[in-house]
Amino acid sequence: MRIGVLGTGVVGQTLAGKLVQVGHEVTMGSRQAGNEKALAWAAAAGDGAHEGSFADAAGFGEVVINATGGMVSLDALAAAGAGNLAGKVLIDVSNPLDFSKGMPPTLSVCNTDSVGEQIQRAYPDARVVKAFNTVNAGVMVDPGQAAAPHNLFICGNDGAAKAQVAGLALSLGWPAEDILDLGDIAGSRAMEMYLPMWLRLASATGSWQVNVKVVTPPPA
Amino acid sequence: MRIGVLGTGVVGQTLAGKLVQVGHEVTMGSRQAGNEKALAWAAAAGDGAHEGSFADAAGFGEVVINATGGMVSLDALAAAGAGNLAGKVLIDVSNPLDFSKGMPPTLSVCNTDSVGEQIQRAYPDARVVKAFNTVNAGVMVDPGQAAAPHNLFICGNDGAAKAQVAGLALSLGWPAEDILDLGDIAGSRAMEMYLPMWLRLASATGSWQVNVKVVTPPPA
């Protein structure tokens, strides 16, 4: 499959690298084609790895992944262009972490809205699926590194789009039974507001690979 | 131990009832002594169960549990009185869920502050421990109802107070290894902002008994 990955940070590089490894063709997009990090990534990732502008990457992808920081995601997507997103599955991995006020980071949007919802509203023709934002980049592409089962959360308004993202997660190593659909795109609020908990869990356990397994009582 | 439980709702009644069962003496506090629900609870719970005003309950307890709604907790504690809280372990179980704007509820405070922090600031001589707010009342007092292990989160500034709360959790059936200390009282922010996730997990699994188990990779 052709995938456009927006963002050249750790999350973008990690996801894009693994997606090439498992056989996809990926264009990494950044503000301007020729970005140093994107060029270095494409050179190292080998066949099937390309780079370009946000618009190049979005236009290239049958699926587009927003791996930019949540505070700049709407700008990045505006640069990508509505026409390059229309009808496509748009996986939003972002978290609106604001480090400008010191540690711990706050969220630039939360409680009554979320980045996932903002993106879906701004691009009603895109099929937005929030996913992968509740684990670190290494776990996203190597879930087996934790000994016990743990969950990948997804949400979005389009069932077929969510099924496609679940399929992509399968190809990254996530067992189907660990992928948990949290409902419509407003679930982004829950998934983004979970971040302060995730940061505390990482600190308490001393592991950035921390994640959670959802537990319910056995059926009566 | 003598415990004051502030609040006559499901959380207050469930916690107070189990605490009496396991041998504690409990006064349930409400805005005015003689509250109908508190009287009915005390009559049903039997020996060791009393009721009174918020001040009566707080004055009675060696440990005080805030089981009021997060939006009214500061008012309830003001009625309880700073003198009745000074030096005591104050367990804050509240969530600032605001249902006034419809479903899903929003949080009346979050992101840059939390009820747990507000309480600690308002009563600097109380030893505030946030705990139990991330599971439903039934799970608080019967954690064994879930088949697999799952975690109870606590946080607070006073290590001895947290140890005392962990001991209380043990007496309610929580295995010591499942009690996870998330650090100082600012962790309340994480624990309260987790609520939207908890609501989505309950909806996705169809179980109000839902909780999470924290998973990390095995040590290298």
Side-chain angles (χ1 to χ4, degrees), chain A residues 4-96:
Chain A
V5 173
L6 312 183
T8 62
V10 173
V11 171
Q13 297 226 2
T14 306
L15 275 173
K18 178 70 178 277
L19 288 166
V20 169
Q21 270 177 39
V22 300
H24 299 291
E25 207 169 339
V26 176
T27 295
M28 177 178 286
S30 50
R31 198 149 294 282
Q32 292 194 310
N35 172 287
E36 236 174 69
K37 287 202 281 181
L39 282 169
W41 170 81
D47 279 356
H50 321 283
E51 69 84 31
S53 66
F54 285 136
D56 293 336
F60 174 83
E62 300 162 83
V63 166
V64 179
I65 299 178
N66 173 37
T68 65
M71 289 182 69
V72 300
S73 290
L74 286 170
D75 285 349
L77 290 166
N84 288 325
L85 301 170
K88 293 182 182 175
V89 173
L90 171 54
I91 307 176
D92 177 30
V93 185
S94 73
N95 281 303

Side-chain angles (χ1 to χ4, degrees), chain A residues 83-196:
Chain A
N84 288 325
L85 301 170
K88 293 182 182 175
V89 173
L90 171 54
I91 307 176
D92 177 30
V93 185
S94 73
N95 281 303
L97 294 173
D98 180 357
F99 293 90
S100 70
K101 298 175 187 76
M103 292 297 285
T106 55
L107 302 179
S108 64
V109 54
C110 70
N111 201 23
T112 56
D113 204 358
S114 62
V115 178
E117 292 166 276
Q118 289 177 332
I119 292 173
Q120 184 63 83
R121 283 200 306 275
Y123 301 96
D125 295 335
R127 302 155 70 202
V128 179
V129 178
K130 189 91 193 180
F132 297 109
N133 73 303
T134 59
V135 293
N136 91 338
V139 174
M140 287 179 202
V141 302
D142 187 12
Q145 66 186 232
H150 52 105
N151 287 107
L152 179 69
F153 304 122
I154 66 174
C155 73
N157 296 340
D158 184 315
K162 286 192 278 194
Q164 204 171 332
V165 174
L168 205 67
L170 283 176
S171 78
L172 297 176
W174 287 90
E177 65 271 22
D178 292 340
I179 302 172
L180 186 58
D181 182 348
L182 295 184
D184 71 357
I185 193 66
S188 296
R189 230 174 277 184
M191 290 170 63
E192 296 172 18
M193 290 173 76
Y194 169 77
L195 258 283

Side-chain angles (χ1 to χ4, degrees), chain A residues 106-107 111 145 149 153 181-182 184 186-187 190 193 196-197 200-201 204-205 207 209-218, chain B residues 106-107 111 145 148-149 153 181-182 184 186-187 190 193 196-197 200-201 204-205 207 209-218:
Chain A
T106 55
L107 302 179
N111 201 23
Q145 66 186 232
F153 304 122
D181 182 348
L182 295 184
D184 71 357
M193 290 173 76
M197 174 60 86
R200 284 272 164 171
L201 295 179
T205 62
S207 171
Q209 280 75 42
V210 72
N211 193 16
V212 293
K213 168 68 181 172
V214 176
V215 177
T216 54
Chain B
T106 55
L107 302 179
N111 202 22
Q145 66 185 231
F153 304 121
D181 183 348
L182 295 184
D184 71 358
M193 290 172 77
M197 174 61 87
R200 284 273 165 172
L201 294 180
T205 62
S207 173
Q209 281 74 42
V210 72
N211 194 14
V212 293
K213 167 69 180 169
V214 175
V215 177
T216 54

